[in-house]
Amino acid sequence: MSTSTFDYIIVGAGSAGCVLANRLSADATKRVCLIEAGGSDKSLRVQVPAGILSLYGDRHFDYGYKSVPQPDLNGRCIPINRGRGLGGSSTINSMIYIRGHASDYDDWAALGCDGWSFESVLPVFKDLERNLVGQDPQFHGTEGELLVDRQRDPNPVSHTFVQAAVTQGLPENSDFNGAEQLGAGIYNVTQDRGTRFNSHRAFVEPVAERPNLVVVTHAETRRLILDGHRVTGLVITRRGHEETLTARGEVILSAGAIGSPALLLASGIGPGAALKAAGRDVVHDLPGVGQNLRDHIDGMITTRSSSRKTLGLSVPNLPAILASPLHYISRRKGMLTTNYVEAGGFACTKYADGRPDVQFHFVPGYRSHRGRIVEYGHGYAIHTCVLRPKSIGELRPYGPDGAFEIDNRFFQDDQDIRVLTEGIKIARSIFAQPEFDDLRGREMLPGSGVQTDDEIAEYLRREALTVFHPVGTCKMGVDDMAVVDPKGLKVTGIENLRVADASIMPTLIGGNTNAPSMMIGERAARAVLADRR
């Protein structure tokens, strides 16, 4: 770097951080630094949708966090995959474009977050979106940077799932971001002609030549530098050496629901008692940091099938597998275009409050009953998650050197396991429809011996995981546990510091969190620019 002084320093080149970097560097008089702990997103495994399976657990692309043992999940430590590299978690996600239910944002406004109702955030979503599907302009934009498209070549079995869900009683839904979320359909994705279109490609690559925008990769942010209660910069580690970056203006944390609170805690900003217990100095006692952790708890049904209509690794399917690169290169078609969770939808259990309370992610291939990334054979599977879990966890400091523990406390509230049990029953009902007759096979999980509510609940305690949507650990609001204010996402009691990512969500939205995180980045950028004026 020619100089280590910037007007704005953004920590984290993920879904929100890339939006911020684009918007704040548009003013050529302001010098902007975007810091990312990971590296490039140019790998074919990233760009080709089917490569997603190879990214999970790879330390080049995934932090690979794990929770502490979860008492209500039989003491298991739950994997928490988070993206590492340009694009953040939008580099390893399933590319599904979902905003959540309109009422989710109205809930935020009702909690005192003025200006965050659905009426307020919808124009921001539209401004970011370049919808290629021709969907209702009342809900979709066509001039933004983020490409939203149909999947290029969904597996026929994904359409079978949608048809079976309709027979079961769900409406077919071609736009989960339109007037109604309820129903089943093929998901729209953030792709460009069959390649992953993450936040880095959408918002940073087109402006990478701006001389005032500096993107620093392979740089671990260690701690904030404070002068009293005013942030003046931060310390990073790069190539084994510590460097100090100075901020003339502001530092904005966009490191995600794990990274942002962890950095605050490493800097002595957080619950005073917990910081002292970990052997850290307390710079600012802010009790909400790391609290309010929420995520979508998920249960799976997986079925073996002899049908080669489904995706699968088998000797009879070997010719199709070998031909798939040619199909992809020549026409952007074939099995390499799959994001694996091609179809899905939203349903209401008997516990729903008038809006869907479970979401389905259907896989037209066999998901291993042993937890393997790849399993020999064919089949199909469905993931079912609780959209608004009542169990709330925390991220807490562990020791004096910046380490932390993640405690989701999954199923601590019994209502979550009751909702998920009902969701599993709905998913099974879809699979029981005649559309699946020629695909039938053995249900490997939960298995035919698991039928009663108690048996399903026990299965979930043994096997449930998440769909990797952590939020809430630096929540915005007006109560004593709020970390940032709703107007500008400024950290309470600290000058020149904001947080802009999924960690600021006061409650978990009913859907995937990538698009909402970009919306949060846009809102933060507008707040910074408004304050500048």
Side-chain angles (χ1 to χ4, degrees):
M1 288 178 289
S2 58
T3 176
S4 59
T5 300
F6 300 89
D7 294 285
Y8 299 106
I9 302 175
I10 303 160
V11 181
S15 298
C18 287
V19 177
L20 277 155
N22 178 296
R23 303 304 190 240
L24 298 184
S25 64
D27 181 348
T29 68
K30 301 298 180 183
R31 201 156 185 263
V32 178
C33 182
L34 178 63
I35 301 173
E36 173 53 46
S40 171
D41 59 350
K42 297 304 182 188
S43 168
L44 278 176
R45 292 188 291 147
V46 171
Q47 301 302 321
V48 177
I52 184 174
L53 290 185
S54 71
L55 303 177
Y56 294 140
D58 184 329
R59 296 295 292 178
H60 290 94
F61 300 105
D62 179 8
Y63 281 98
Y65 300 120
K66 286 191 175 182
S67 74
V68 299
Q70 298 292 286
D72 295 299
L73 294 179
N74 294 355
R76 292 183 294 128
C77 297
I78 305 303
I80 303 168
N81 301 114
R82 306 311 300 150
R84 177 185 177 93
L86 294 173
S89 291
S90 72
T91 292
I92 68 169
N93 71 354
S94 297
M95 297 157 278
I96 296 172
Y97 183 77
I98 295 285
R99 299 170 180 168
H101 199 277
S103 65
D104 294 325
Y105 301 98
D106 293 338
D107 287 347
W108 294 2
L111 291 171
C113 299
D114 293 342
W116 289 87
S117 67
F118 185 68
E119 183 181 12
S120 299
V121 302
L122 176 59
V124 184
F125 278 117
K126 291 170 65 175
D127 287 347
L128 291 169
E129 181 185 11
R130 189 183 307 169
N131 187 281
L132 304 178
V133 184
Q135 291 172 314
D136 188 347
Q138 180 181 348
F139 297 99
H140 295 277
T142 57
E143 302 298 326
E145 294 94 336
L146 182 66
L147 300 182
V148 177
D149 204 355
R150 293 186 179 92
Q151 295 179 54
R152 297 281 292 190
D153 195 12
N155 186 281
V157 178
S158 293
H159 293 285
T160 298
F161 167 80
V162 176
Q163 294 158 8
V166 171
T167 301
Q168 190 271 344
L170 284 175
E172 184 169 357
N173 193 335
S174 61
D175 185 4
F176 296 115
N177 302 294
E180 179 57 65
Q181 187 185 61
L182 181 73
I186 304 295
Y187 285 125
N188 287 341
V189 289
T190 51
Q191 292 183 2
D192 178 13
R193 293 163 294 178
T195 62
R196 178 185 294 275
F197 199 71
N198 64 4
S199 61
H200 179 249
R201 285 187 66 189
F203 297 102
V204 174
E205 274 192 2
V207 300
E209 299 305 315
R210 289 176 179 171
N212 62 320
L213 174 60
V214 177
V215 179
V216 181
T217 57
H218 302 291
E220 297 276 358
T221 304
R222 295 300 183 189
R223 64 186 180 278
L224 300 168
I225 300 172
L226 291 102
D227 180 5
H229 281 62
R230 180 175 178 269
V231 171
T232 61
L234 46 80
V235 175
I236 65 172
T237 301
R238 195 164 59 126
R239 303 189 188 97
H241 300 285
E242 278 197 354
E243 300 179 31
T244 298
L245 306 184
T246 301
R248 284 188 290 258
E250 298 184 55
V251 172
I252 306 166
L253 305 186
S254 295
I258 306 300
S260 288
L263 183 54
L264 290 174
L265 294 171
S267 306
I269 301 170
L275 288 168
K276 289 178 182 177
R280 304 184 192 182
D281 293 333
V282 180
V283 175
H284 179 51
D285 187 354
L286 192 57
V289 174
Q291 303 301 299
N292 193 49
L293 173 61
R294 304 164 189 245
D295 200 350
H296 289 138
I297 187 72
D298 174 88
M300 180 178 71
I301 300 171
T302 187
T303 300
R304 278 200 181 278
S305 170
S306 61
S307 173
R308 285 191 286 133
K309 290 181 181 178
T310 64
L311 300 172
L313 177 63
S314 67
V315 172
N317 204 38
L318 193 58
I321 294 172
L322 294 176
S324 62
L326 178 60
H327 292 160
Y328 183 79
I329 292 170
S330 62
R331 300 186 296 131
R332 290 293 190 268
K333 296 282 188 178
M335 62 180 67
L336 290 182
T337 66
T338 186
N339 69 339
Y340 295 102
V341 284
E342 298 177 349
F346 298 83
C348 296
T349 74
K350 65 183 182 181
Y351 299 109
D353 60 3
R355 56 187 170 178
D357 58 348
V358 293
Q359 181 179 3
F360 303 122
H361 293 85
F362 175 75
V363 183
Y366 185 62
R367 284 299 312 272
S368 172
H369 60 288
R370 293 178 279 204
R372 297 175 178 175
I373 296 296
V374 178
E375 181 88 27
Y376 185 84
H378 291 264
Y380 50 91
I382 188 169
H383 292 270
T384 305
C385 71
V386 180
L387 288 177
R388 296 173 193 85
K390 295 184 179 297
S391 301
I392 299 173
E394 68 173 354
L395 183 148
R396 52 182 176 254
Y398 180 74
D401 297 322
F404 54 86
E405 294 180 328
I406 304 170
D407 186 359
N408 299 88
R409 297 177 186 145
F410 288 125
F411 289 156
Q412 186 177 64
D413 192 305
D414 288 341
Q415 181 67 5
D416 295 342
I417 201 165
R418 287 193 289 266
V419 171
L420 190 49
T421 296
E422 291 299 314
I424 292 290
K425 288 156 69 175
I426 295 171
R428 266 182 164 168
S429 177
I430 294 172
F431 280 180
Q433 300 306 316
E435 284 81 0
F436 277 98
D437 283 350
D438 66 347
L439 299 168
R440 298 247 175 257
R442 180 185 174 191
E443 183 185 279
M444 304 298 292
L445 291 176
S448 59
V450 176
Q451 295 295 330
T452 68
D453 286 6
D454 287 345
E455 289 168 344
I456 294 172
E458 180 52 36
Y459 160 71
L460 292 171
R461 294 189 192 281
R462 292 195 313 269
E463 299 287 347
L465 296 169
T466 89
V467 284
F468 313 125
H469 297 153
V471 309
T473 46
C474 297
K475 78 167 189 174
M476 66 175 167
V478 294
D479 60 74
D480 292 341
M481 295 300 289
V483 176
V484 299
D485 71 283
K487 182 179 180 181
L489 305 183
K490 297 178 180 179
V491 175
T492 301
I494 301 291
E495 296 181 49
N496 300 340
L497 181 64
R498 304 182 200 236
V499 180
D501 53 37
S503 72
I504 67 98
M505 296 185 185
T507 59
L508 183 53
I509 60 138
N512 308 67
T513 52
N514 182 44
S517 296
M518 294 181 186
M519 179 273 292
I520 289 167
E522 177 71 19
R523 288 290 302 265
R526 294 181 185 186
V528 171
L529 296 174
D531 284 353
R532 181 195 300 172
R533 289 192 292 270

